Amino acid sequence: MEPGTYARQRLVSFMAALLGTAILYLAFGDIALAQDAALPVCSAKVLENCTPNSGDTAWMLTSVALVLMMTIPGLGLFYGGMVRKKNVGDTVMTSFAVTCLITILFALLTYSMAFRAGTPFIGGLDRMFLRDIVSDIGKGGIGNPNPLAPTIPETVYICFQMTFAIITPALIAGAFAERMKFSAMLWFIGLWAIFVYAPIAHWVWGPDGFLASGNDAAWVKVLDFAGGTVVHINAGVAGLMCAIMLGKRSETGPAHNMVLTFIGASLLWVGWFGFNAGSAVSAGMQAGMAMLVTQIATAVAAFTWMLVEWSLKGKPTVIGICSGAVAGLVAITPASGFVGPIGAFAIGIGAGVFCYWGCTGLKRMFGYDDALDCFGVHAIGGIVGALLTGVFAVEQYGGTAGVLEGNVGQFFNQCIGVAIVFAYDAVASLIILFVVKLVVGLRVTQDTERDGLDLALHGEAVQ
C-alpha cells in the first residue's frame, strides 16, 4: 500500500471516530439537558425536588458573609474600642464566643423553633439537629426549601438566619460590658437565645407566627422587614434588664481607642447591606430599594447626631458620629423593605435625635449604667424605626400602606408589636438573669473589676 493511501485511510478513520464521539456527546448532553429541564424551578408553589434561582442563591451567600462580618469583626471592634484598655480582650472575646455558642444552638434547636411551622407561638421541632436537611443533589434538585425562602437552598437560608441569631445576643453585651462574669454571660446568652429570641423570631417571621405580616391568619400583622423588633428592640430591652440587675460599674473611663470603634462601625455599615437587602431573600427590586434606603437613613442619622452633639456639647466626636450611623442602621432595619427614600430621610432624622437623647438624657434620667448604650441605640432606634414604618410604608413598594397612604391601623399594629415584644422580653430576661445569678452569680468581684477582666478572666491583656 502506498504511503499516501495509508495516511488517507488513517485520517478518514480518525475523523470517523471524532465524529462518532461528537454525536454521542451531543446525544447524552441532550438527554442530560432534558433531565435538567424536567426539574421544576423552585417557587412559592413548588417546594420539592426543584432547582434554585442561581442569582438569588449567589446574593444570599454573599449576604451571609456580610452579616457574619457584622459580629466578627465588626461589633467586636465597635464595642472593643469603647471600653477601657484593661477590658478590651473580654469584650472582643464575648463577640467571638457568642458566635460559636449561638451557631451550635441554632443548628441543634433554635432554627426549628423559630422558622418552621408549629403553633402561633413557637415553631415545630422537625428540623431539630437539622435532620432531613440533606439536599437532593444527586438528582439535580435541592430537596425541600423552606417556604419562607422558596428560591434558595434551605441550607443557605439556615446560614442567613443563623447570622441574625448570632448578632442579636452579641449586641446585648454592650449593656453589661466591663462587669459581668464570662461564665454568667454564656449561660444567660444561651438561655436567652432559646427562650426569648427563638419565640419572638417565630412570632414576627415564622410561617404561622401570630404577629407575622406574611401569615394570613396572624392576630396582628406587624411589619418588620429585617429585625427592628426581633433583633434590636429585643436586644436593647434585654440589655437594659442586664444593666439594672448588675448595677453600675465601680468606675468608668473614656473609650480607649476610637479608631477601633470607627473601623467596627464602618464594617457594620457595609455588612448591614446584607442584613437589610439580604432580607428580601432574593436579588430583585425589593433588595435594591432596601439597600438604597439603608444608605440614606444611615448617613442622615449619623449627620444628624453629629449636628446635635456639636450644638449641645460644642464639639463633634468620632464616637458620636459612629453611634449615630449605627442608630440609623437600626432604625431603617424594620422599614427597609417597606419605605422609599422620603421615609428613609425621616427615619434617619428621627434616629439621630431620639437615639442621642436615649444615650444621654434618658440614661441620666433613670440612672442605669448601659455601658455602651445598647438600650439607647438599639431599643430606642428599633422603636423609632418600627413606629415610623407604620407611617411611611408604601403599598406599591412593600405591599402594605402606611398612615400617609390612609392606613392608620398599621401604625397601631406597630405599636402593639413593639409593646408585646418589649413586655415579654423584659420579663423573660429578668427571670433568666435571676436563675443565672442563683446558679453561678452575675458580677465579677470588685478586685477583678478594678484590675480588669482581661487578666483576671482570660489571662491575657493588650499591651
Side-chain angles (χ1 to χ4, degrees):
M1 182 180 294
E2 296 181 1
T5 303
Y6 177 75
R8 283 195 297 273
Q9 290 177 344
R10 292 291 303 272
L11 180 60
V12 170
S13 299
F14 174 76
M15 293 300 295
L18 184 62
L19 180 61
T21 302
I23 292 172
L24 290 173
Y25 175 80
L26 290 173
F28 283 111
D30 287 342
I31 293 172
L33 288 172
Q35 289 176 340
D36 288 342
L39 291 171
V41 176
C42 294
S43 67
K45 296 182 178 180
V46 180
L47 296 169
E48 295 183 359
N49 295 325
C50 51
T51 56
N53 181 295
S54 58
D56 291 349
T57 303
W59 167 235
M60 295 309 298
L61 288 168
T62 303
S63 295
V64 169
L66 287 170
V67 182
L68 181 60
M69 184 185 72
M70 291 170 64
T71 305
I72 49 172
L75 187 67
L77 292 173
F78 181 72
Y79 279 169
M82 289 195 286
V83 297
R84 289 168 293 170
K85 188 176 181 180
K86 61 184 179 181
N87 295 319
V88 65
D90 180 73
T91 302
V92 298
M93 176 69 170
T94 295
S95 290
F96 210 93
V98 166
T99 299
C100 299
L101 174 62
I102 299 303
T103 296
I104 295 168
L105 291 176
F106 199 77
L108 295 181
L109 180 63
T110 55
Y111 166 71
S112 192
M113 291 174 62
F115 297 103
R116 300 295 294 182
T119 73
F121 304 102
I122 197 69
L125 298 179
D126 63 314
R127 283 291 189 264
M128 190 175 179
F129 297 99
L130 297 185
R131 63 174 180 261
D132 300 327
I133 200 65
V134 178
S135 297
D136 193 10
I137 298 172
K139 296 180 180 179
I142 61 168
N144 307 319
N146 190 311
L148 296 171
T151 66
I152 65 173
E154 188 172 11
T155 50
V156 178
Y157 185 64
I158 290 170
C159 287
F160 182 66
Q161 289 297 349
M162 182 184 289
T163 59
F164 278 64
I166 286 168
I167 196 170
T168 305
L171 293 171
I172 302 172
F176 59 69
E178 302 192 297
R179 62 198 189 278
M180 192 175 197
K181 288 183 177 180
F182 190 74
S183 58
M185 180 277 295
L186 292 174
W187 276 108
F188 171 72
I189 293 299
L191 293 171
W192 189 88
I194 296 171
F195 294 105
V196 180
Y197 181 82
I200 290 178
H202 185 76
W203 299 350
V204 180
W205 288 339
D208 49 3
F210 74 95
L211 299 178
S213 61
N215 176 19
D216 293 336
W219 303 353
V220 179
K221 294 192 175 185
V222 177
L223 301 179
D224 185 359
F225 190 70
T229 50
V230 177
V231 176
H232 298 292
I233 297 175
N234 210 5
V237 172
L240 178 62
M241 298 305 106
C242 288
I244 293 172
M245 283 288 293
L246 285 162
K248 294 183 178 181
R249 290 166 290 176
S250 58
E251 58 180 23
T252 60
H256 93 280
N257 193 327
M258 64 181 180
V259 176
L260 290 183
T261 296
F262 163 77
I263 295 171
S266 302
L267 290 170
L268 285 169
W269 190 333
V270 174
W272 224 288
F273 291 126
F275 200 86
N276 285 357
S279 291
V281 202
S282 65
M285 296 294 290
Q286 193 173 40
M289 181 65 84
M291 180 173 284
L292 175 62
V293 298
T294 296
Q295 178 68 17
I296 292 172
T298 305
V300 171
F303 203 76
T304 300
W305 184 301
M306 182 190 73
L307 294 178
V308 171
E309 183 182 47
W310 200 346
S311 63
L312 295 178
K313 294 188 175 181
K315 294 179 181 179
T317 65
V318 173
I319 298 295
I321 197 170
C322 289
S323 297
V326 174
L329 290 163
V330 168
I332 195 62
T333 291
S336 55
F338 303 107
V339 305
I342 300 302
F345 272 98
I347 289 170
I349 293 171
V353 172
F354 284 101
C355 290
Y356 181 85
W357 169 76
C359 296
T360 54
L362 182 66
K363 189 160 64 170
R364 285 196 300 267
M365 187 186 306
F366 290 98
Y368 55 85
D369 185 8
D370 180 2
L372 308 180
D373 294 313
C374 174
F375 182 79
V377 170
H378 294 279
I380 299 299
I383 291 170
V384 168
L387 298 184
L388 291 182
T389 300
V391 175
F392 291 99
V394 179
E395 184 175 9
Q396 184 179 4
Y397 170 41
T400 302
V403 172
L404 296 184
E405 292 186 339
N407 184 14
V408 179
Q410 189 58 50
F411 179 77
F412 292 105
N413 286 355
Q414 300 300 105
C415 292
I416 293 170
V418 167
I420 290 174
V421 170
F422 196 111
Y424 176 80
D425 188 4
V427 172
S429 296
L430 282 174
I431 292 172
I432 295 171
L433 287 165
F434 273 115
V435 171
V436 174
K437 183 177 181 180
L438 290 174
V439 176
V440 298
L442 288 175
R443 187 161 178 163
V444 297
T445 65
Q446 289 185 350
D447 290 341
T448 297
E449 190 173 348
R450 182 188 65 248
D451 297 338
L453 276 60
D454 289 2
L455 281 173
L457 299 184
H458 306 288
E460 52 191 355
V462 175
Q463 300 299 325

